[in-house]
Amino acid sequence: MSDQELRVSKIRSGTVIDHVPGGQALRVLAILGIDGTGGETVSVAMNVPSDAMGAKDIVKVEDRELSQAEVDVISLIAPEATINIVRDFDVIEKNRVVRPDSVVGVLQCPNANCITTEREPVQSEFTVLSEGVRCVYCDTLLREDIAEHIG
Ligand code: CTP
Ligand code: ZN
């Protein structure tokens, strides 16, 4: 896309999450715990035409880098996403997300009887499958609603 066509300004520093499937940007923001009340400067573009993806979303979060746990969960809803780290307007690092085999301690099991939701020192653990993520302890399957179960 040429500069004339840029829909959202470039950022000076922060993280650009690019190649998010069209319509998933708000889920990415939920994963990052961003609802606007924290005062972060965030730009979002949704359903931007993309040669590779048809339509894609882009999320730009200024002055923030993402944790590996956050990137792991983003990979579950945006398997093709690229995480671009920007400093002084340059992309200094670009990484494709990698779907992890499991996610530990990030998601909360919705099953009230699951051992991970009792007052036990047991961290949540979900196995990553193609159809979603499954609780290792009680087999509960989370599908598209993964973002609603961030711990
Ligand atoms: N970007 C930004 N601010 C900057 C630099 C880049 O918002 N100062 C954004 C770009 O708009 C783009 C993403 O970060 O959405 C990646 O930038 P870049 O690597 O320059 O773009 P491409 O080469 O098109 O990326 P890719 O090859 O990953 O598609
Ligand atoms: Zn469980």
Side-chain angles (χ1 to χ4, degrees):
M1 198 180 280
S2 73
D3 280 354
Q4 282 118 310
E5 292 175 295
L6 259 189
R7 284 188 164 76
V8 183
S9 300
K10 302 223 166 209
I11 61 172
R12 176 184 296 279
S13 84
T15 302
V16 177
I17 305 151
D18 198 357
H19 305 115
V20 173
Q24 298 296 316
L26 296 181
R27 288 205 167 117
V28 170
L29 291 176
I31 289 165
L32 299 179
I34 294 172
D35 65 3
T37 62
E40 309 89 343
T41 302
V42 175
S43 324
V44 174
M46 288 199 243
N47 298 311
V48 176
S50 151
D51 289 341
M53 304 178 67
K56 69 170 183 178
D57 288 1
I58 306 166
V59 175
K60 304 186 182 190
V61 187
E62 295 189 40
D63 301 318
R64 171 154 167 195
E65 294 196 6
L66 309 189
S67 69
Q68 188 57 50
E70 289 168 335
V71 173
D72 282 353
V73 181
I74 288 171
S75 78
L76 303 178
I77 60 159
E80 314 281 307
T82 46
I83 310 291
N84 299 276
I85 299 175
V86 177
R87 282 212 195 113
D88 259 329
F89 288 104
D90 289 331
V91 174
I92 59 157
E93 201 181 317
K94 181 190 292 283
N95 292 301
R96 275 280 294 272
V97 298
V98 177
R99 261 171 102 81
D101 297 328
S102 70
V103 283
V104 178
V106 188
L107 299 172
Q108 211 155 43
C109 186
N111 173 6
N113 296 319
C114 179
I115 187 163
T116 62
T117 60
E118 312 255 317
R119 264 181 293 178
E120 309 269 350
V122 180
Q123 275 206 309
S124 73
E125 181 170 352
F126 288 80
T127 305
V128 177
L129 309 167
S130 54
E131 69 268 31
V133 299
R134 191 182 291 286
C135 178
V136 166
Y137 297 97
C138 72
D139 284 342
T140 296
L141 183 66
L142 301 181
R143 292 175 188 270
E144 283 85 47
D145 55 343
I146 288 167
E148 280 104 72
H149 298 285
I150 311 288

